[in-house]
Amino acid sequence: MLHVLTQSPFVSDINLIINMIDKNDYFLAIQDGVIISLKGNIFINLLDSTRCSLFVLQEDLIARGIMHLVSKNFKIINYTEFVHLTIQKRKQLKW
């Protein structure tokens, strides 16, 4: 499954999201959700515990001026790679 976080993690039910993620899932942060990808934030350890693949959308990082602050745990992807994720994981949840 592809989990897409579009809102800030501070206004999302992160514990619910974490409980829904399986190690074979993909987690993608876009729009205001990219905040979750910042180095040293309080959500990184929770996401790491899921052992899923973590992605963040490059264009949204650039728009917010935070490209240089992304945790090494996240793979930065572009829109083309985003489309490939949606093809690989037909089931999706938007948070």
Side-chain angles (χ1 to χ4, degrees), residues 22-88:
D22 182 71
K23 67 180 178 181
N24 298 315
D25 290 345
Y26 292 166
F27 178 89
L28 172 64
I30 64 172
Q31 300 171 0
D32 288 340
V34 299
I35 294 169
I36 203 166
S37 70
L38 299 180
K39 294 176 193 171
N41 77 67
I42 61 174
F43 306 108
I44 291 289
N45 289 339
L46 288 173
L47 282 173
D48 280 345
S49 71
T50 68
R51 303 179 72 174
C52 72
S53 299
L54 304 174
F55 303 93
V56 60
L57 193 62
Q58 177 179 344
E59 288 79 358
D60 289 331
L61 293 170
I62 292 169
R64 287 157 181 81
I66 57 175
M67 269 291 276
H68 63 287
L69 299 174
V70 174
S71 167
K72 63 178 172 58
N73 303 40
F74 279 82
K75 179 180 181 193
I76 299 171
I77 63 170
N78 60 31
Y79 276 110
T80 302
E81 293 167 305
F82 180 8
V83 171
H84 289 290
L85 290 182
T86 64
I87 293 169
Q88 291 173 29

